[in-house]
Amino acid sequence: MDKFIIEGGRRLVGAVRISGSKNAALAIIPSVLLAPGVFRLRNTPNIRDIWTMSRLLGAMGAHCELNGSELFVDSNGVNSFEAPYEHVKKMRASINVLGPLVARFGRAKVSLPGGCAFGPRPIDLHLKGLEKLGAEIGIENGYIIANAQRLRGARIHFDISSVGATENILSAAVLADGVTTITNAAIEPEVSALAKMLVKMGAKISGIGTATLEIEGVKELHAVEEENLPDRIEAATFLIAAAITQGKIVLENVNPYHLTAVIAKMEEAGCEFDVTGPNISMELNQPPKPIDATTAPYPGFPTDVQAQWVALMLTAQGSCRATDTIYPTRFHHVPELLRLGAHIEVADNTAIIHGGRPLSGASVMSSDLRASASLILAALAAQGRSEILRVYHLDRGYENIEKKLEQLGASIQRVKTEDF
Ligand code: EPZ
């Protein structure tokens, strides 16, 4: 188990190149199951979740190889339709293989993903959608057993705008007989990235980027090369890293449009932005103003930035609230932030942050990906030395985070430890 040692109180200044999107890659890579051939995904981040997805597809007979930031997948050898618990327990997004397996092979055995550190993660919408497409779904010994002679198009409405369910059903509908309409579809950029990749593979999809997707099923698809999105959540995390240290940063290789809500919120707090092409410059020369944030589906303020926002508001002069409407219990970062001297109260799905108290270094424990990011951000602003334990949580979704922070002026080092 590795830990990070951070000496806080240093202003971050400089430029950083943002890596490819974890969540877009985890949406796109399972599409290789829809067609035989060699796929190439450029701008793939070299992170633990990509290794997990690659091992899962490898266990199914595909061959995956990550050369730098290019992922090659040869799906010609796919001969197993099972996603075993050993992979799914490490990464919920393994569920994204379900739709492609049923659509292409007519069968799938995928472990139920279970919950995660910040609460239950149901998949009822995924399963109901597949049943509407004609699949028979059973649950046996913790596994989803799905079978379908041939999926047939259907009208599917999601009660909740779900990223994963939209991705799974979209990936299944492209090979179904007839037309499928999905209403209240998620419109996150990662969903649109998947839809564009499927169209490149020969799928017929209209309404991309809107909450109503219409898919006309085709007989077969073919392998393609694709360029992955930049990671908007990593970008937001680095913007907040600069702001929490009252620094100045240039993000390279981002899509500013995907960060509209985050930029607007940070401007409310006093951050100054300059957006030119694929770069974003941000500067903050005084403590941020205390500004409330409430998460919402895209294009709203992302739930994946809620923990980072709570950290930033610790340095504001005054109190404010962070409300998570997507995951009401996603506050595991709070008890650890209290160890750094924070004053935060959690009531229902809201954290009330009383900023302006000095933060001082301490040892803190990572729990989930974005909570761990929040701890790093607070440690950067705290006086003295902090230790962030179990950084494998961070390695799931942030490529070379300590090297990127170091090049911005942070004092951070990775240390191997026997601690569990
Ligand atoms: C994706 O998870 C992201 N993960 C999450 O990012 C992100 O937090 C989430 O979308 C919301 O934006 C990936 O893309 C790999 P949802 P997903 O289905 O698809 C409820 C990170 O840190 N729901 O959009 O699992 C659910 O409980 C990760 O990178 C059902 O009720 O999220 C939640 O309240 C964490 N039934 C809401 O919908 C279902 O069948 C949104 O979840 C599915 C979801």
Side-chain angles (χ1 to χ4, degrees):
M1 295 269 192
D2 294 355
K3 65 181 176 183
F4 284 148
I5 295 175
I6 293 174
E7 291 296 337
R10 298 161 73 119
R11 196 165 172 262
L12 297 197
V13 178
V16 62
R17 179 177 172 76
I18 296 300
S19 298
S21 165
K22 165 178 86 79
N23 291 347
L26 294 175
I28 284 175
I29 295 169
S31 306
V32 305
L33 296 167
L34 289 167
V38 178
F39 292 76
R40 183 175 171 187
L41 180 59
R42 288 188 295 276
N43 199 28
T44 298
N46 186 10
I47 54 176
R48 189 180 287 274
D49 275 9
I50 297 299
W51 310 341
T52 302
M53 181 62 83
S54 300
R55 274 197 295 272
L56 169 59
L57 292 171
M60 291 178 180
H63 176 70
C64 302
E65 201 171 316
L66 184 58
N67 294 331
S69 63
E70 290 201 350
L71 180 69
F72 293 86
V73 183
D74 181 342
S75 66
N76 283 301
V78 171
N79 57 11
S80 160
F81 318 115
E82 182 169 342
Y85 180 62
E86 63 176 293
H87 298 289
V88 179
K89 71 182 178 187
K90 290 180 197 148
M91 183 183 67
R92 167 187 167 72
S94 306
I95 191 79
N96 287 353
V97 302
L98 181 59
L101 284 172
V102 179
R104 171 101 184 282
F105 302 104
R107 51 198 280 224
K109 180 181 178 187
V110 176
S111 168
L112 283 166
C116 75
F118 52 77
R121 305 285 296 276
I123 55 163
D124 55 307
L125 300 176
H126 298 242
L127 303 183
K128 279 182 207 158
L130 284 173
E131 285 178 327
K132 289 277 283 194
L133 290 171
E136 285 170 22
I137 303 281
I139 306 287
E140 288 168 28
N141 308 109
Y143 277 80
I144 303 156
I145 311 294
N147 286 288
Q149 286 308 319
R150 183 116 175 95
L151 294 179
R152 57 180 184 279
R155 278 181 291 104
I156 294 166
H157 177 79
F158 287 130
D159 292 343
I160 299 175
S161 155
S162 157
V163 171
T166 304
E167 290 166 351
N168 238 333
I169 299 310
L170 177 59
S171 301
V174 294
L175 288 179
D177 271 338
V179 175
T180 297
T181 305
I182 303 173
T183 48
N184 197 23
I187 60 169
E188 272 68 4
E190 296 76 30
V191 175
S192 299
L194 170 62
K196 287 172 190 156
M197 160 104 159
L198 292 170
V199 166
K200 229 177 175 177
M201 290 170 62
K204 292 180 181 168
I205 304 170
S206 58
I208 296 175
T210 78
T212 300
L213 295 171
E214 185 164 286
I215 306 103
E216 185 185 338
V218 295
K219 287 277 174 274
E220 61 184 15
L221 298 168
H222 55 82
V224 295
E225 296 188 9
E226 184 59 299
E227 176 83 19
N228 189 25
L229 288 183
D231 194 310
R232 61 190 172 100
I233 307 301
E234 183 194 17
T237 305
F238 275 93
L239 286 174
I240 293 176
I244 203 169
T245 60
Q246 296 180 33
K248 183 175 179 181
I249 194 169
V250 177
L251 301 188
E252 296 165 351
N253 181 44
V254 290
N255 182 330
Y257 184 72
H258 295 162
L259 285 147
T260 307
V262 171
I263 291 172
K265 191 56 69 180
M266 291 184 75
E267 283 178 329
E268 271 187 78
C271 300
E272 290 174 17
F273 282 86
D274 176 28
V275 176
T276 42
N279 294 353
I280 298 177
S281 304
M282 191 286 302
E283 187 170 1
L284 181 65
N285 293 309
Q286 74 271 335
K289 299 185 188 103
I291 301 292
D292 292 351
T294 299
T295 68
Y298 190 85
F301 191 85
T303 174
D304 293 348
V305 184
Q306 178 260 108
Q308 298 92 312
W309 188 258
V310 168
L312 177 61
M313 289 297 104
L314 296 176
T315 62
Q317 301 298 320
S319 299
C320 64
R321 306 161 75 89
T323 298
D324 203 319
T325 65
I326 311 280
Y327 297 114
T329 57
R330 192 177 191 172
F331 294 103
H332 282 250
H333 41 292
V334 170
E336 297 303 312
L337 291 171
L338 299 185
R339 290 180 49 74
L340 294 166
H343 181 195
I344 308 170
E345 299 155 279
V346 175
D348 299 327
N349 65 346
T350 296
I352 302 149
I353 307 119
H354 303 289
R357 293 164 61 133
L359 300 174
S360 51
S363 289
V364 288
M365 184 75 76
S366 303
S367 54
D368 64 83
L369 175 57
R370 309 305 176 182
S372 315
S374 159
L375 301 182
I376 287 191
L377 297 173
L380 290 172
Q383 285 307 319
R385 174 187 169 122
S386 294
E387 289 192 345
I388 318 282
L389 305 179
R390 297 186 183 173
V391 296
Y392 66 84
H393 289 290
L394 279 150
D395 293 335
R396 288 192 50 183
Y398 290 100
E399 185 179 34
N400 293 328
I401 189 166
E402 73 271 26
K403 292 193 178 66
K404 291 176 179 174
L405 286 170
E406 213 171 17
Q407 79 184 37
L408 290 167
S411 165
I412 178 170
Q413 60 174 132
R414 181 186 289 258
V415 173
K416 294 249 174 277
T417 170
E418 295 312 311
D419 283 6
F420 282 92

